[in-house]
Amino acid sequence: VPASWDRVCQDFPTLQLRTSRRRRVVYLDSACQSLRPIQVIRSMERYYSALGACGNSGPASNFLARKTTEACAKAREKMARFLRCRASEVVWQPNTTHALNTVIRGLTKKSCPLPLRLTRGDEILTTDLEHHSNLLPLWMAHEEAGIRIRVVQVTAEGLFDLNSFQERLGPRTKLVSILWSSNMTGTTFPLKEISRIAHDNGTKVLADGAQFVPHHPVNVHDIGTDFLAFSVHKMCGPAGMGVLYGREELLDQLPASVVGGETVRGVRLQVGRRGVARILPVFESPPERFEAGLQNFSGIIGTGAAVDYLSQRVGMSRIEDREAILRERLLNGLRSIPEVRVIGPVDPDVPGRAALATFLLPQKKGEPRRVQALAQWMDSRVPGHRIMLRSSGHEVHPFHYRLGLARAESSRVSPYFYNTPEEIDLFLASLKAFLDHDRAGS
Ligand SMILES: Cc1ncc(COP(=O)(O)O)c(C=O)c1O
């Protein structure tokens, strides 16, 4: 039985914290990293206090290693059920960034078999709203393998245009590497349609699901994407845990980019004349082929606990409903403040609009925008509270520049299901107080 929202909020130790002068934490930076419930924290503690051994697959030679291996295998199965795929299609990665690198780098390697491999002159299609974590592996594919990068421009609000996408898709487009939901504009791209159109063109699809997967039920087979990257630390799981989903027959062909222990079944060393040697590895099948070295076992076990928490104690559909309320409150509140410019659709009913808001405040002549000043005000000047938001370029610099901003800097609030409508109201009232204070000072 899912828990009430009050109970859910009580699960998060950070929300019970009182900082100096008994201030409560209002955490509005979940797009960066979510908070963790006690259930996840305890599951990780249990690993350290009751297991503490190696859980890498392979024959476990002692009791603790066997138990750890079993617990890790269970966590992978839970994640597979969460995504509706096979356990062998779930690869543990440290985060979205690594997962995107694993695919893009793997596809451009000489050892990747054709026709999957991307070679000089082949194209990758992306957008101008991507996070640096997608954009920079694409830069590397261009620099190192001569892959041509093409961009579909989104609208100024960050909306995806299927017609421009179809126009840009050509005979040499071998991969579409694309956001699912934006951490800046809160817009969601029609990934199912994108995948269908790409597949009709013989093109593979890699989706950056960092901002989508934590907020919605997902069925990867229904969506049809070939690869999906996301971070578990944005969905109540341990820091430094992420997932790469890949269709089995594609993962099977993809070479690993990071190799070493645990990625091979065996290695032979052929030593010839004058010590000239050949190293002959036989690589593991996926997912182990992509999980080099000793793994983050407590993180893997904590990931299983996060999946249980989201799907059983909270419920992914309930998260969608809760976030619809928070989104409406947030966007309607922001659009009632004339000085605020929201980057992204301000209408909460735009399909796929996420419950986050990136915005700009007016700029005084000759002065930088008051982005840092706002963050400091929220952290220190709101009576009885510390409101935590993010002031930065959100790793989406090109889109800031496209909007004509001289510096890649904006403010962002990103609630999750453990936030309350009252916290959104408090943030909005504090924003108005900051603007009043600013006006009075000028
Ligand atoms: C859309 C998007 N993609 C990728 C990332 C990178 O995630 P990570 O830092 O967990 O690798 C983020 C992080 O905020 C993101 O919002």
Side-chain angles (χ1 to χ4, degrees):
V1 181
S4 70
W5 290 118
D6 274 353
R7 282 266 169 95
V8 163
C9 291
Q10 283 164 22
D11 288 337
F12 290 81
T14 313
L15 299 179
Q16 318 311 319
L17 270 182
R18 298 292 176 267
T19 70
S20 53
R21 280 178 274 139
R22 301 199 53 73
R23 287 176 172 161
R24 299 174 70 101
V25 169
V26 177
Y27 186 75
L28 292 173
D29 194 17
S30 295
C32 172
Q33 192 171 185
S34 76
L35 302 177
R36 284 84 184 179
I38 192 69
Q39 290 85 341
V40 170
I41 297 167
R42 287 215 182 105
S43 77
M44 295 172 71
E45 276 172 6
R46 269 198 302 277
Y47 165 74
Y48 285 114
S49 55
L51 297 170
C54 235
N56 279 7
S57 65
S61 51
N62 65 64
F63 175 79
L64 290 180
R66 245 186 337 269
K67 288 282 172 208
T68 307
T69 304
E70 276 167 27
C72 289
K74 249 191 210 151
R76 204 192 296 274
E77 277 158 22
K78 284 177 187 177
M79 181 55 81
R81 273 198 298 278
F82 186 75
L83 299 173
R84 312 282 174 95
C85 65
R86 299 188 190 109
S88 54
E89 296 177 316
V90 172
V91 180
W92 300 128
Q93 300 274 277
N95 46 42
T96 306
T97 307
H98 274 253
L100 292 168
N101 272 277
T102 296
V103 177
I104 296 165
R105 300 185 76 169
L107 289 175
T108 54
K109 284 193 164 305
K110 273 199 204 123
S111 51
C112 184
L114 288 167
L116 187 62
R117 183 163 101 219
L118 273 67
T119 54
R120 185 166 291 279
D122 280 342
E123 293 183 359
I124 301 179
L125 190 53
T126 186
T127 76
D128 59 350
L129 185 57
E130 300 302 316
H131 192 279
H132 297 169
S133 294
N134 186 23
L135 217 48
L136 294 186
L138 299 185
W139 164 79
M140 199 177 262
H142 174 74
E143 293 293 309
E144 293 185 359
I147 309 302
R148 187 182 292 164
I149 309 301
R150 271 184 185 258
V151 157
V152 182
Q153 285 201 307
V154 296
T155 68
E157 286 191 318
L159 293 164
F160 191 80
D161 179 5
L162 272 173
N163 288 332
S164 321
F165 171 68
Q166 262 164 315
E167 275 167 26
R168 288 270 188 273
L169 203 64
R172 294 215 66 172
T173 319
K174 281 221 160 151
L175 179 71
V176 170
S177 186
I178 205 164
L179 275 173
W180 198 348
S181 255
S182 164
N183 62 320
M184 188 169 169
T185 59
T187 46
T188 298
F189 294 174
L191 185 58
K192 190 169 173 174
E193 274 296 276
I194 291 171
S195 302
R196 191 185 56 72
I197 295 166
H199 289 159
D200 285 348
N201 193 57
T203 304
K204 301 287 181 277
V205 178
L206 164 61
D208 169 357
Q211 298 297 342
F212 187 92
V213 176
H215 305 280
H216 305 274
V218 169
N219 178 334
V220 282
H221 290 304
D222 176 52
I223 292 296
T225 186
D226 298 291
F227 301 100
L228 173 66
F230 59 96
S231 298
V232 174
H233 43 244
K234 297 183 199 296
M235 47 188 279
C236 296
M241 276 303 299
V243 170
L244 168 64
Y245 153 80
R247 271 203 296 133
E248 195 165 51
E249 62 273 28
L250 299 179
L251 277 187
D252 246 350
Q253 298 176 62
L254 193 72
S257 298
V258 181
V259 291
E262 318 297 335
T263 64
V264 281
R265 291 202 182 121
V267 189
R268 284 181 189 281
L269 192 60
Q270 265 179 7
V271 184
R273 289 202 317 168
R274 285 198 293 278
V276 175
R278 286 186 70 202
I279 303 167
L280 302 166
V282 178
F283 282 98
E284 274 286 5
S285 310
E288 287 81 7
R289 187 193 303 158
F290 304 103
E291 297 171 354
L294 193 136
Q295 295 293 293
N296 177 1
F297 304 120
S298 74
I300 292 170
I301 291 168
T303 296
V307 166
D308 281 346
Y309 186 82
L310 291 178
S311 43
Q312 290 166 24
R313 183 147 171 96
V314 189
M316 294 310 291
S317 306
R318 280 177 83 221
I319 292 179
E320 282 186 329
D321 296 344
R322 171 83 160 182
E323 290 188 358
I325 295 168
L326 300 176
R327 178 180 71 231
E328 206 174 303
R329 200 86 152 214
L330 176 62
L331 293 178
N332 286 340
L334 285 175
R335 70 173 158 182
S336 73
I337 308 175
E339 294 101 316
V340 169
R341 175 182 163 200
V342 173
I343 301 175
V346 76
D347 177 356
D349 296 328
V350 165
R353 180 66 168 92
L356 63 78
T358 304
F359 58 93
L360 296 166
L361 298 180
Q363 191 170 12
K364 290 182 195 167
K365 249 202 161 134
E367 282 185 19
R369 270 176 207 280
R370 313 263 295 132
V371 176
Q372 297 305 337
L374 175 67
Q376 277 162 21
W377 170 281
M378 291 285 176
D379 192 50
S380 61
R381 299 284 296 275
V382 180
H385 296 84
R386 284 190 187 277
I387 302 181
M388 299 178 187
L389 50 77
R390 177 153 292 257
S391 291
S392 73
H394 318 294
E395 303 293 335
V396 192
H397 290 188
F399 200 70
H400 281 85
Y401 297 134
R402 184 185 142 184
L403 295 177
L405 302 172
R407 287 169 64 130
E409 249 193 349
S410 50
S411 306
R412 185 183 72 194
V413 282
S414 55
Y416 204 8
F417 59 85
Y418 41 67
N419 290 112
T420 63
E422 293 73 30
E423 287 179 322
I424 302 293
D425 291 345
L426 178 69
F427 157 72
L428 292 165
S430 309
L431 179 58
K432 284 180 195 155
F434 173 80
L435 289 166
D436 286 346
H437 174 267
D438 230 25
R439 231 178 278 116
S442 59

